[in-house]
Amino acid sequence: MDSEEADLPPFRSSTSTRSLVPATALASPAAALPSLSSSGTSAASAPSSHSQAGLLRDVQAAFKRHRRLEHPGVKQSNDIRPRRAVAPTGSLAPGAGARRFRDSPALGRLGKKKIPDAETVMPSFPGMETKSFDESFNPFDVRMDQASCDIDWKEKDLPPVNDTEPLGSSSRKVQVSMQGNITSQGPYAHVATEPGNLSSYFSSLALTEIEFDSCSQVEGSTVINQDLQRQKLLTVESDVISKSYVNMPTTLSQRTAAVQDKVHQLRNFLNQPSTQSSVAGLSCVTTTSVHSSAAPMSSSTTCYSHLNQEDQRLVTVKTLGDPSPRLVKQENMMKLPTTSVMTTSEMVVDEPALASHNSSSYVGDKSEDKKVNVCKEPSSMKEERALKYDVAAQATAGVASSEQSKVPLSGDSSLIKKPGPALPGKDENATNRTGTSVPRKRNYDPDLFFKVNGKLYQKLGKIGSGGSSEVHKVISSDCTIYALKKIKLKGRDYATAYGFCQEIEYLNKLKGKNNIIQLIDYEVTDKTLQNEVRSGSMNIKDGRVKEDGFIYMVLEYGEIDLALMLSQKWKEMESLGQMIDENWLRFYWQQILQAVRTIHEERIVHSDLKPANFLLVKGSLKLIDFGIAKAIMSDTTNIQRESQVGTLSYMSPEAFMCNEQDANGNVIKCGRPSDIWSLGCILYQMVYGRTPFSEYKTFWSKFKVITDPNHEIVYGPISNPWLLNIMKKCLAWDRNKRWRIPQLLSHPFLAPLQSYAAPPSHEEEGCTLLVHLMSDASTFSTLLKESMEGPLSVSEVESLASQDGLCSLLSEVSRLCLELRGRVRESRRQQ
Ligand SMILES: Nc1ncnc2c1ncn2[C@@H]1O[C@H](COP(=O)(O)OP(=O)(O)OP(=O)(O)O)[C@@H](O)[C@H]1O
């Protein structure tokens, strides 16, 4: 926060938050402000009960503010109109809402300049259901679930305060930080269907920017920095610009008559020529722009800063029978920093028509007439896009309430505005001037949304892209964040395309498994392929996917990947001068093992295990990316693959030599042990901060050293011999000697607590020891047996003790074991 921002005291209390919703709700900003009332910081506040009289007063106040400025020193012009139509020219005339805003200590300075119109900040979805207007609704009943809501108003880039400065010339930004949990129950919270949704959305808001211009218009942009109550998001950073203009509830018959007059004024006001796009005359319009600045998967990108051999990705290599390995690598598969990928979404969604009492109205639901009515003379690309979406929104919402859509908007034909220029290919749902519908190919803006099985997901930002796919961060209509993977199929042959679909198959198979990323929904737009996938058959052998075929996969969203976590952890340890945090290691290593156990139990070999493919979801590591596993026959133990695939630094020797013949003439196959090797590389990286073969920089040197059975991996000094031992168990060159997951999970490295357990009482001592022996005996004997296979590695022995010391230790252990066995037998005889 800069010093200027720091000057602004925090604006505390729920009222601050309230201001956001009602202001949007009423086309008049001032009218929205009564709900600011309960704040102790808002001096001139209306009673929090929001009586009808209060409502009218506020509406009147709002319209007062719509009058021309009579500010001394400001030359009045007929051109002074809201840039965004509904938020009107803001004089400094003391409108109730204005005063409240200005009177707030936090906003004192702002109030001097221009009065902001608070607006709703939330994503909008065509088809998102609104609450019906009902007599029981208190239009301003937007409450905070939490007693306090801290709003920290920050003023950014504000030019010097000057009441006489020409209107429309500058824009100002104010940041609002807020924490709290808001539930909107009023009809003006028109965007939210369920209070829970709104609540969860708002509860996640942490930073809101509201941009003012000198016409008192508000452009609220929200950087959402989520505190994940409900564990929906860990961090979300989005800019949301929201402009909401909401109508009066006509079902409130008592209010209608009195308010209607004002509404007419408002309509006339809105109909002024320079009004911008997002205005609906009588109908309510909500414009929401989402600038998702940061899909918080910086994680997925960060790790790639160490792009060297770690990121060499082997895509396709040689085929069986071809003696010369033709290894094709994809090097430096750098993921773009997500922060650099920004999606801007803007949409205009109509509110139910004033006349409509339809309780099942949808935001965005509106008649063609209304649509035509909505946007007028778009003056910028932004407006064009808003218009574009507006049109789309209607079409989407059309399914929801066709009746409502027929409600005539108003008799005031002057309100009907020309639709803005259609963007080529985008405005497919537009209605022509005669009111007849043209065929609708698409009822949403594909720039802003994905549609999967009829459900819309608003884009928040691109997370990254793989060889054939891109992954986006999206938000669903119930305000849940997901990752959406889009795989392009066009031009691919059906066999390949079917291969892509197998990832879906695996994810379906792994549904409900805790440590695997969950597939929420999917759609294959090529119906032939989709049917094949559904039937589990692959009959089409020939041909290519002709249409614009895509696979859409809606996935659980991962906040950070292990690769980034690792690099962060290493930085942290280096700064503290530490070597390794064993507990941290154990915690995640165990989760990694559990995830791989899950797939191995399902007879799935992942084949591309690496830190970047473990995502942290709500505190647990989950495995992603079954893109390579798809090529594996799931019902076999060992897999004969047509090509060598994987990520170089984590590829097992047999993955490099897949389908070649070993010394005994057997075809080398990849199976679960290949995954265990990759796990060994991951653990090595966790311990030493680099992969075991990272010093071999070129592809061929890496290939050579990994496939050399005599190459000895160098292990740096390490204090815990069990840790060394477990790495060696995973990185045994001979795949038959590598440990399997169950053994790794019961490895002593993961059970250090036994040595720290509270010392047993004297009587229990023997018994506790036996219990421990029971649970660990098999591991212990396996370890013993293995240590007797082949020559003992001197380095291993040295790290434990001197060889003599070891011998006497073993004698002692063996003597004690024999003695213990005798006592166990004795006690059994006595029983
Ligand atoms: N569920 C998810 N949540 C968050 N980020 C994800 C999710 N799935 C994938 N990603 C991220 O999206 C990016 C691309 O993922 P994807 O698995 O498509 O690519 P890849 O493995 O690099 O390439 P390929 O698809 O060719 O195997 C990666 O940075 C990954 O971390």
Side-chain angles (χ1 to χ4, degrees), residues 570-586:
W570 266 90
K571 262 187 213 151
E572 182 192 314
M573 289 193 307
E574 273 165 9
S575 69
L576 295 171
Q578 291 173 351
M579 273 304 288
I580 196 164
D581 180 345
E582 276 192 24
N583 286 335
W584 183 90
L585 206 63
R586 270 187 205 98

Side-chain angles (χ1 to χ4, degrees), residues 714-725:
V714 179
Y715 297 91
I718 199 166
S719 57
N720 186 338
W722 289 118
L723 185 50
L724 182 69
N725 179 272

Side-chain angles (χ1 to χ4, degrees), residues 509-510 513 597-604 634 672:
K509 200 171 174 181
L510 295 165
K513 308 281 183 189
R597 177 177 62 186
T598 301
I599 61 166
H600 282 187
E601 280 174 358
E602 295 294 329
R603 294 175 171 270
I604 296 169
S634 61
R672 294 175 177 109

Side-chain angles (χ1 to χ4, degrees), residues 297 300-301 304 313 330 333 335 463-471 483 485 503 517 555-559 561 608 610 612-613 615 624-625 627-628:
M297 274 306 296
S300 61
T301 72
Y304 301 93
R313 174 78 174 263
Q330 211 175 3
M333 292 186 59
K335 275 78 174 178
I463 298 170
S465 45
S468 44
S469 63
E470 52 188 46
V471 180
K485 187 167 182 172
E503 183 169 11
I517 208 82
L555 298 157
E556 235 179 337
Y557 178 74
E559 297 106 19
D561 64 33
D608 195 18
K610 57 183 176 183
N613 280 340
L615 293 187
I624 61 161
D625 196 359
I628 292 175

Side-chain angles (χ1 to χ4, degrees), residues 752-773:
L753 283 182
Q754 290 180 8
S755 37
Y756 300 118
S761 65
H762 188 63
E763 303 82 57
E764 290 170 343
E765 215 160 44
C767 176
T768 310
L769 176 66
L770 289 180
V771 171
H772 282 194
L773 264 180

